[in-house]
Amino acid sequence: MTSDVSKVSSEEAALSIEETILAQTAWFLHERGDVQAAALLLDVEGIEWSPGNRLGDWMDARLLVPGWLMDRFSEDLLARIRDALLPIAERNGVEGHSVYVGPALPDVAADWRSALQGRLTANTTTNHAARVTDPKPELRRDGFVFDSREEVRVYEALKRAQAALPANATISIFPRRWDA
């Protein structure tokens, strides 16, 4: 017996090859116990493949990440990701040679100057230089918006720590308000 509950066509559910490789790599690393690498891959916005040499004998994978996140990909961590990602890419029909990180570039329009000027002069407070224009629902908590899942985890840990403290002890938490 089949259910009529939100049937999704296989075309709608299909991932791009890059997203499939990224997802399989993150899950594989998680299953191996490399939680740090798996968690960082959650914030990778995509993979760009480029020829690894002039002849195009192989492809190099550039993990596209927000600029503020790039420093978290140490050589050791990137090596662990590479050792998982390249065999997974090969199984998905992409022969890769190396993996590196690069900044995810913003979408821009013809009025980018005025849009940026507006952001620079806006009287809003943020928790760091990155600004989210349309936050994902999983990055919102208690009316606040966060720029990564890591920030959400820190916020939730601080809330738990606050709840365990006596009433006269407090922890200050200052994320950016979405409605501000």
Side-chain angles (χ1 to χ4, degrees):
M1 182 181 244
T2 61
S3 169
D4 288 28
V5 179
S6 307
K7 293 181 183 176
V8 177
S9 74
S10 60
E11 292 173 10
E12 291 173 327
L15 297 175
S16 69
I17 193 67
E18 291 81 11
E19 191 68 15
T20 298
I21 292 167
L22 186 61
Q24 289 174 340
T25 302
W27 276 104
F28 178 77
L29 288 165
H30 177 266
E31 289 171 354
R32 276 193 3 200
D34 195 342
V35 176
Q36 180 187 22
L40 272 178
L41 288 179
L42 289 173
D43 289 316
V44 171
E45 294 181 12
I47 301 175
E48 282 183 349
W49 294 95
S50 59
N53 65 7
R54 289 183 293 153
L55 302 175
D57 294 334
W58 67 81
M59 303 298 280
D60 288 337
R62 177 186 302 131
L63 303 178
L64 303 174
V65 300
W68 58 269
L69 189 62
M70 289 180 60
D71 291 340
R72 296 186 188 171
F73 285 83
S74 65
E75 286 184 33
D76 174 60
L77 185 98
L78 203 50
R80 296 189 327 252
I81 291 171
R82 180 192 64 240
D83 291 347
L85 188 142
L86 293 179
I88 290 170
E90 186 177 347
R91 287 181 64 181
N92 283 281
V94 180
E95 185 179 344
H97 183 262
S98 67
V99 177
Y100 59 98
V101 296
L105 301 176
D107 292 326
V108 294
D111 68 340
W112 70 268
R113 286 181 175 84
S114 61
L116 180 57
Q117 183 65 34
R119 289 241 180 134
L120 292 172
T121 59
N123 190 15
T124 58
T125 304
T126 63
N127 51 352
H128 56 67
R131 295 177 186 227
V132 176
T133 57
D134 187 22
K136 298 175 186 171
E138 64 266 19
L139 298 180
R140 296 181 189 187
R141 296 289 188 280
D142 304 325
F144 297 114
V145 63
F146 298 88
D147 290 285
S148 71
R149 288 175 181 87
E150 292 168 321
E151 286 184 3
V152 171
R153 286 191 289 269
V154 169
Y155 174 71
E156 290 172 344
L158 288 170
K159 282 182 54 179
R160 286 191 301 274
Q162 176 66 57
L165 291 174
N168 63 349
T170 62
I171 297 173
S172 296
I173 305 171
F174 296 102
R176 175 182 57 205
R177 295 231 13 123
W178 171 242
D179 55 359

